[in-house]
Amino acid sequence: MSESVKVISQNKKAYHDFFIEEKYECGIELAGTEVKSLRLGQVNIKDSYASITNGEVWLKGMHISPYEKGNIFNRDPLRERKLLMHKFEIRKLIGKIKEQGYSLVPTQVYFKGQRIKVELGLARGKKNYDKRQTIAANSAKREMERKLKEYNR
């Protein structure tokens, strides 16, 4: 039986600024009011990143808006949140990140069944000329699809 996947937030800026080479699915440690805010879609992962300290993966810069009815139970919207991954995956990531130019960037946050998951991308930064090439390739692809659509009418 497959679990339903409902995307809460995507980080399109990550695909613009980085080459995403590998993706990892991991859980996230949240408080109750944060989960309620996520159900309402009140999250921003545009400027967030992940780092590894003491063998644990931490997500920094992820903004979850305070839940309106949460009163005293609301947490700091920009607090660091622990990501839940297997130890062998973390060791593998530590080895990759030590290489020049690699970082961990969240690409999307989604519900998988009842659980909230974060998709981390192992990313290498793009230069300006790489970004221009990507934009040119996307516009050429869009133009080709437009012409094919006209031709097939």
Side-chain angles (χ1 to χ4, degrees), residues 105-126:
V105 179
T107 55
Q108 65 180 0
V109 179
Y110 56 93
F111 283 104
K112 187 172 185 182
Q114 292 294 311
R115 304 197 186 278
I116 297 171
K117 300 288 182 178
V118 176
E119 185 179 76
L120 277 184
L122 184 65
R124 190 169 38 90
K126 282 186 182 179

Side-chain angles (χ1 to χ4, degrees), residues 35-99:
V35 174
K36 290 179 180 184
S37 288
L38 283 173
R39 289 200 184 281
L40 296 174
Q42 299 176 340
V43 63
N44 183 7
I45 59 172
K46 191 195 288 188
D47 296 326
S48 59
Y49 63 97
S51 66
I52 301 174
T53 51
N54 298 332
E56 295 178 335
V57 184
W58 293 89
L59 188 61
K60 300 177 182 182
M62 178 175 164
H63 185 276
I64 298 178
S65 298
Y67 185 59
E68 292 174 5
K69 301 176 182 107
N71 58 41
I72 63 170
F73 299 109
N74 282 333
R75 300 282 177 95
D76 179 29
L78 287 172
R79 74 180 180 92
E80 294 180 4
R81 293 168 179 89
K82 185 176 177 181
L83 296 178
L84 309 172
M85 295 180 79
H86 291 285
K87 198 174 283 187
F88 69 90
E89 286 180 322
I90 295 173
R91 281 196 214 114
K92 183 178 172 184
L93 284 175
I94 289 171
K96 296 264 187 174
I97 288 176
K98 284 184 180 176
E99 293 179 27

Side-chain angles (χ1 to χ4, degrees), residues 122-137:
L122 184 65
R124 190 169 38 90
K126 282 186 182 179
K127 304 286 186 211
N128 281 336
Y129 59 84
D130 291 329
K131 293 178 189 178
R132 285 191 293 268
Q133 284 177 338
T134 305
I135 291 170

